[in-house]
Amino acid sequence: MKLSPTSSFLTISLILSVVIVKGTKILGISPNLEKLYENNRVISTNKWKCLNNPEIEINWDQINDNICDCPDGSDEPGTFACNLESSSSSSLFYCENDGFIPRFISKSKVMDGVCDCCDCSDEALLPSSIPLSKTSICPDLKDEFDKLLSIELENYSNSKDKLLKLFKKYDMDFTSLDQTKDMGNQNGNENGLLEKEKLIAELNKLEADSIRHNNLLSQEKENYLNKLQLNNPILYDFEQKINSKLLIELTNSTMIQIIQVSSAFNDIMKILDELTLSYSNSMNDRVVNNNVDKYFDLSRSIQMNKINANPESDEDLRVQFLKYFEDELPNLIEFKKIENDVKYNVNKAAFVKGLIRGKAEYTETLFNLINQFSEIMIDITENYNVNFQDQGVKIAVDSFKNYLTKYESTLGLKRIEMPKNLEDEFDKLINFLEKALPVLFHSNNDDDDDKNNEANEYSHLLNNGDANNGQIVDTSDLLSLKKQIKSHEKKIMKLQANTLKKKELLAKLEQRLIRSTMHEEKEKEKEMNAMDQTLLDILNDLMIKIGSDKIIDTVLDNYKYEVTINPKLPGSIFQSEMKNDKNVVKIGELQSVKLDKKLNLQKYIEHLKIVYPESSLISHLMNETTTKKGDLEIDYLFGNLPDINNGLVLEYGNGQQCWNGPKRSASLFIKCGTEFELHNVYEATKCRYVFDASGPIGCYPNFEYSP
Ligand SMILES: *[C@@H]1O[C@H](CO)[C@@H](O)[C@H](O)[C@H]1NC(C)=O
Ligand SMILES: *[C@@H]1O[C@H](CO)[C@@H](O)[C@H](O)[C@H]1NC(C)=O
Ligand SMILES: *[C@@H]1O[C@H](CO)[C@@H](O)[C@H](O)[C@H]1NC(C)=O
């Protein structure tokens, strides 16, 4: 049998993915992410939601199937199927490296035929036919690392002893260092993280509950409707055909708009009425006087035409309409409680509709007048004579400004329209009532305007619809079903409210976590600075006490170097040629002393590379991180080992002028070591030198290893 490369690749990766997904571990993610992945899983359906796009659901075993399904790439943490920007946290692959130190590598190193993880997990999904190149395996690296660690720590311990001896020799007190040392507690965030996990779990449960209840609810509804259709076809039709909710909503909102117009009309008249009573006619402000006259004319015509608006009675109407839909109609249809006769009840719906429409149409008249009043007030506001200091006018102008803000959303309109769909719903209702009520209440329509029940789909119920016939009876069962549905709906609403609350909590918690992380880092930095400052002071004292002793007096590459480190004298670096010992050059004098953490890390890595030139250990300790800006950064996983060195750097300047160049200067970096030694000198830029040295004063006296 011949398999094409792709199909064999697919087969293999499918087999692999099954194996890898079946276990609890998902390839390529760190343990703390595992919980997030687990949280997004719906066990019952074996579905899984993309981490940052929970609206997208895939099958759980589509994770790491080498096909990108989630926009955030979260379904492919172990493959490079999702082509992600490096700024995304999913652009990193987690090497579990069982037996050694876990680390993150860039996704670009995944499935490339080279094992970057010492457990080769970055190549686990590669077809087994492709040969892998391996540098080191985890157990070997562990041995190597342990060896390195013990040598480094032993050398440190010896060097530190030398430093303590120096302190003793010069009778120095260094206990102040211990007081700033206390900086171990950092569990503030851990609590927050636990809380966050708990919240996420609760949220997932709530969402699952909500789905379950929604399913139950729709079953209940279906069940209810089926029974209803059988037992009470009229009520069934009412519930199916008439959108009560829409009727209520639209009636409510239309009435509220109408009330707004009524009260806008009344309010502006009030402003003008008050103005006419309080303004000073005698001031002879022509603008005001003319406009007041205009208003008198207008209000006379309003009285004559009996135009009025009453927001209170409109509000009463709104309440009555809502009651009609919410109580009266259901009572009528469901409980067959009728007041007055059938005809009255059919007409009532039409009456309500007509009333709303009439009220809406009337707003055109009101708007028209409101606009005329407004013009009067606008003219006064813009053109009245401020110098007259007429209080009555001023008050009216201020009131008008408030008025404009209060009715901002209403004033631009020409009239309130009765919504078309509200009219339609009313028509449906009227139509339904015309047919259903006579049947429901056994009215034979024996009035003179006998329309008959010819085309009435409910007529057949009338014939055999007696109380002792089985058709429209025993609604208690239905009622209890309906109650159940109502209470279920309430429960779901509560669940949703609860979910919302939890989501808000979660968002707040996340904010807090970010803030507290930043705060913690700052605090740590502060402590660190305080500690470094104390150490620096002590080292300064020590260097003064060492005085003019040459800590280094060494020949290196045919040059002799003499170094003193007293900050007060000040210390200096001299270089002389071995061939011609008269040619002595002053490289510089000591100008400043500092502890440089960043340089220290760099120097420490250099040191490891020099001491262990053959080992791939260092590269397996590189941990890749994406910065907020999206750059890849490397940090190293040897814990605080570089802190063996305190990062001591002595800056020398103002040396002998170079021929055709600047004055000489140098940085002297002193790492922790038992003896003062010079290891390397190089010219970094013209006449600027770097001295790599070691000695006890380069040690951190309080160092304790932590991974
Ligand atoms: C440890 O100290 C010894 C003796 O001082 C030295 O030879 C060796 O290079 C040092 N090793 C490291 C890793 O610094
Ligand atoms: C009527 O509308 C008001 C304002 O929008 C709203 O507050 C109220 O809940 C509504 N009433 C009903 C029964 O819809
Ligand atoms: C290693 O990298 C990961 C991912 O970039 C990061 O979250 C973690 O803090 C790093 N670990 C160390 C010890 O620097």
Side-chain angles (χ1 to χ4, degrees):
M1 185 182 74
K2 248 182 160 181
L3 273 175
S4 71
T6 42
S7 72
S8 72
F9 170 71
L10 268 182
T11 319
I12 288 163
S13 66
L14 274 179
I15 293 167
L16 275 171
S17 71
V18 166
V19 171
I20 281 148
V21 170
K22 273 277 163 59
T24 47
K25 289 225 154 51
I26 299 167
L27 197 69
I29 58 166
S30 59
N32 54 2
L33 266 186
E34 250 165 55
K35 278 171 208 140
L36 273 185
Y37 273 71
E38 208 46 60
N39 280 338
N40 272 19
R41 181 182 189 179
V42 184
I43 305 272
S44 57
T45 56
N46 209 30
K47 293 271 181 196
W48 182 81
K49 296 180 207 150
C50 299
L51 282 196
N52 297 305
N53 306 83
E55 70 282 3
I56 300 177
E57 268 198 4
I58 62 172
N59 289 326
W60 175 254
D61 47 22
Q62 278 171 278
I63 294 177
N64 279 337
D65 66 349
N66 210 15
I67 297 167
C68 194
D69 299 297
C70 301
D72 64 352
S74 57
D75 63 313
E76 295 298 316
T79 76
F80 55 53
C82 298
N83 202 356
L84 293 164
E85 290 190 21
S86 60
S87 58
S88 154
S89 59
S90 312
S91 68
L92 297 173
F93 179 93
Y94 177 79
C95 307
E96 197 191 345
N97 288 349
D98 195 17
F100 188 53
I101 301 168
R103 68 170 177 137
F104 286 89
I105 60 170
S106 158
K107 273 278 183 74
S108 61
K109 294 177 181 149
V110 172
M111 294 172 85
D112 64 351
V114 180
C115 290
D116 292 279
C117 307
C118 62
D119 62 4
C120 255
S121 54
D122 55 323
E123 306 303 320
L125 293 178
L126 206 62
S128 56
S129 55
I130 295 178
L132 292 178
S133 109
K134 227 180 233 197
T135 49
S136 308
I137 56 168
C138 298
D140 289 354
L141 286 174
K142 166 115 176 66
D143 286 349
E144 243 181 279
F145 186 68
D146 288 348
K147 216 185 285 165
L148 175 145
L149 204 57
S150 78
I151 293 173
E152 289 292 303
L153 292 180
E154 192 182 334
N155 276 12
Y156 164 72
S157 167
N158 294 335
S159 310
K160 174 190 163 175
D161 289 346
K162 284 275 170 71
L163 178 62
L164 298 188
K165 267 184 199 151
L166 276 180
F167 285 147
K168 254 199 198 129
K169 176 177 168 188
Y170 293 110
D171 209 10
M172 287 178 58
D173 173 24
F174 56 96
T175 46
S176 53
L177 262 181
D178 287 322
Q179 283 150 20
T180 45
K181 193 189 164 192
D182 188 27
M183 50 176 223
N185 51 15
Q186 41 154 298
N187 51 15
N189 261 356
E190 257 161 50
N191 287 340
L193 286 175
L194 279 179
E195 208 178 312
K196 180 175 160 183
E197 252 171 47
K198 217 177 105 200
L199 263 178
I200 289 174
E202 282 171 0
L203 261 175
N204 283 324
K205 194 176 166 300
L206 278 173
E207 264 163 25
D209 276 0
S210 178
I211 290 171
R212 199 164 48 85
H213 282 290
N214 268 320
N215 288 341
L216 277 175
L217 180 66
S218 44
Q219 270 171 26
E220 283 170 5
K221 277 185 176 162
E222 204 183 307
N223 185 10
Y224 166 77
L225 284 176
N226 286 340
K227 279 204 174 154
L228 188 63
Q229 191 171 21
L230 236 129
N231 288 329
N232 193 343
I234 291 181
L235 182 56
Y236 175 81
D237 263 16
F238 178 67
E239 292 192 355
Q240 291 294 100
K241 285 186 184 160
I242 310 301
N243 191 342
S244 302
K245 223 173 122 193
L246 191 66
L247 273 169
I248 291 171
E249 256 175 42
L250 290 177
T251 299
N252 185 41
S253 60
T254 308
M255 282 311 293
I256 280 174
Q257 284 178 292
I258 289 168
I259 295 164
Q260 276 286 99
V261 181
S262 303
S263 87
F265 178 81
N266 277 7
D267 281 3
I268 196 158
M269 276 189 79
K270 235 181 262 161
I271 294 173
L272 281 159
D273 281 341
E274 266 161 35
L275 176 70
T276 59
L277 293 177
S278 62
Y279 88 113
S280 313
N281 192 2
S282 54
M283 293 269 198
N284 269 332
D285 183 332
R286 272 189 46 219
V287 173
V288 177
N289 290 355
N290 285 346
N291 277 304
V292 168
D293 288 346
K294 251 195 219 167
Y295 174 64
F296 281 140
D297 289 347
L298 254 178
S299 50
R300 218 167 294 133
S301 90
I302 285 172
Q303 272 164 19
M304 253 165 30
N305 292 312
K306 298 213 163 104
I307 291 169
N308 66 43
N310 189 340
E312 286 83 24
S313 72
D314 289 347
E315 169 62 17
D316 283 349
L317 271 182
R318 184 186 72 91
V319 173
Q320 282 178 38
F321 292 163
L322 293 185
K323 244 176 129 177
Y324 171 66
F325 290 123
E326 284 169 345
D327 299 337
E328 211 174 308
L329 268 181
N331 268 338
L332 194 64
I333 312 295
E334 198 169 341
F335 304 107
K336 298 207 272 174
K337 281 190 208 151
I338 191 163
E339 281 170 36
N340 298 313
D341 57 8
V342 163
K343 203 167 165 199
Y344 169 89
N345 278 286
V346 173
N347 286 344
K348 181 156 185 181
F351 176 70
V352 170
K353 177 190 168 192
L355 209 50
I356 296 174
R357 189 166 44 198
K359 283 270 164 199
E361 277 167 4
Y362 193 60
T363 57
E364 188 165 352
T365 309
L366 296 181
F367 270 123
N368 189 355
L369 287 163
I370 289 172
N371 285 338
Q372 293 184 54
F373 293 145
S374 291
E375 268 164 32
I376 291 174
M377 276 315 299
I378 287 168
D379 191 27
I380 292 176
T381 303
E382 286 175 356
N383 301 313
Y384 81 100
N385 193 331
V386 188
N387 297 329
F388 289 167
Q389 297 280 343
D390 188 330
Q391 274 315 108
V393 178
K394 264 178 141 176
I395 288 170
V397 165
D398 285 345
S399 306
F400 183 62
K401 281 178 185 160
N402 291 338
Y403 173 86
L404 288 180
T405 341
K406 181 174 173 194
Y407 295 105
E408 199 184 6
S409 59
T410 307
L411 289 177
L413 304 174
K414 275 202 177 114
R415 67 165 163 272
I416 303 298
E417 305 280 356
M418 178 165 184
K420 175 83 176 56
N421 46 351
L422 180 56
E423 296 222 25
D424 292 348
E425 281 306 314
F426 263 111
D427 291 344
K428 277 193 232 162
L429 176 67
I430 294 162
N431 192 297
F432 168 82
L433 291 176
E434 271 172 358
K435 291 179 186 162
L437 290 189
V439 177
L440 213 48
F441 295 101
H442 307 284
S443 140
N444 286 328
N445 260 1
D446 45 10
D447 314 24
D448 21 358
D449 65 321
D450 196 348
K451 271 193 207 150
N452 275 331
N453 310 315
E454 14 175 315
N456 191 340
E457 64 230 63
Y458 305 123
S459 324
H460 66 284
L461 295 174
L462 192 59
N463 303 330
N464 44 10
D466 260 51
N468 37 10
N469 184 298
Q471 288 285 4
I472 313 177
V473 287
D474 189 22
T475 49
S476 63
D477 191 23
L478 282 170
L479 270 180
S480 74
L481 269 177
K482 201 167 183 178
K483 253 190 209 153
Q484 199 179 324
I485 287 171
K486 278 257 164 68
S487 86
H488 223 143
E489 276 172 343
K490 255 191 208 153
K491 186 160 193 177
I492 287 170
M493 258 157 70
K494 251 191 210 158
L495 274 173
Q496 279 165 348
N498 207 351
T499 306
L500 213 68
K501 236 195 278 166
K502 289 261 150 78
K503 274 189 178 155
E504 274 164 17
L505 270 179
L506 186 64
K508 268 189 205 149
L509 183 63
E510 270 167 352
Q511 285 294 320
R512 210 183 74 208
L513 279 174
I514 290 169
R515 274 200 306 268
S516 94
T517 306
M518 279 178 354
H519 177 74
E520 249 173 40
E521 273 165 12
K522 263 193 205 137
E523 286 296 303
K524 249 190 216 164
E525 215 167 89
K526 259 194 227 155
E527 274 174 45
M528 212 56 189
N529 286 341
M531 197 150 141
D532 280 355
Q533 198 49 54
T534 315
L535 178 59
L536 197 55
D537 292 345
I538 293 172
L539 291 177
N540 250 303
D541 276 356
L542 181 60
M543 291 191 294
I544 290 168
K545 292 200 163 135
I546 288 172
S548 57
D549 290 357
K550 292 175 193 163
I551 61 154
I552 289 167
D553 187 354
T554 314
V555 174
L556 197 70
D557 299 334
N558 292 322
Y559 286 100
K560 181 177 155 113
Y561 295 98
E562 293 162 276
V563 178
T564 58
I565 54 170
N566 187 328
K568 280 197 167 159
L569 283 176
S572 58
I573 300 179
F574 283 97
Q575 176 202 56
S576 47
E577 277 183 53
M578 291 306 290
K579 288 179 281 186
N580 176 6
D581 60 3
K582 279 187 206 114
N583 198 354
V584 179
V585 173
K586 183 171 161 189
I587 300 284
E589 44 194 52
L590 183 55
Q591 289 179 327
S592 68
V593 180
K594 64 179 176 191
L595 304 179
D596 189 332
K597 291 276 158 199
K598 225 167 146 185
L599 181 67
N600 185 41
L601 178 62
Q602 192 187 320
K603 290 283 179 188
Y604 191 72
I605 292 158
E606 270 174 33
H607 153 82
L608 290 182
K609 283 181 179 160
I610 291 166
V611 184
Y612 306 95
E614 302 296 324
S615 172
S616 67
L617 180 62
I618 313 299
S619 66
H620 281 278
L621 289 170
M622 288 180 180
N623 180 46
E624 282 178 287
T625 305
T626 51
T627 64
K628 283 192 190 101
K629 272 196 260 158
D631 303 325
L632 270 183
E633 257 182 13
I634 291 175
D635 48 38
Y636 288 84
L637 299 170
F638 32 55
N640 66 346
L641 208 49
D643 290 344
I644 284 174
N645 303 316
N646 58 32
L648 185 63
V649 184
L650 281 62
E651 293 290 345
Y652 290 80
N654 203 21
Q656 201 169 319
Q657 183 132 24
C658 273
W659 181 78
N660 215 356
K663 286 183 174 172
R664 288 177 175 78
S665 64
S667 288
L668 170 63
F669 179 79
I670 304 179
K671 68 177 175 185
C672 179
T674 48
E675 313 300 330
F676 284 108
E677 277 173 328
L678 184 61
H679 302 288
N680 187 26
V681 178
Y682 62 92
E683 197 173 352
T685 57
K686 193 168 168 65
C687 305
R688 168 151 186 84
Y689 303 86
V690 175
F691 286 69
D692 284 324
S694 63
I697 60 169
C699 300
Y700 213 107
N702 288 329
F703 172 80
E704 270 166 35
Y705 176 64
S706 72

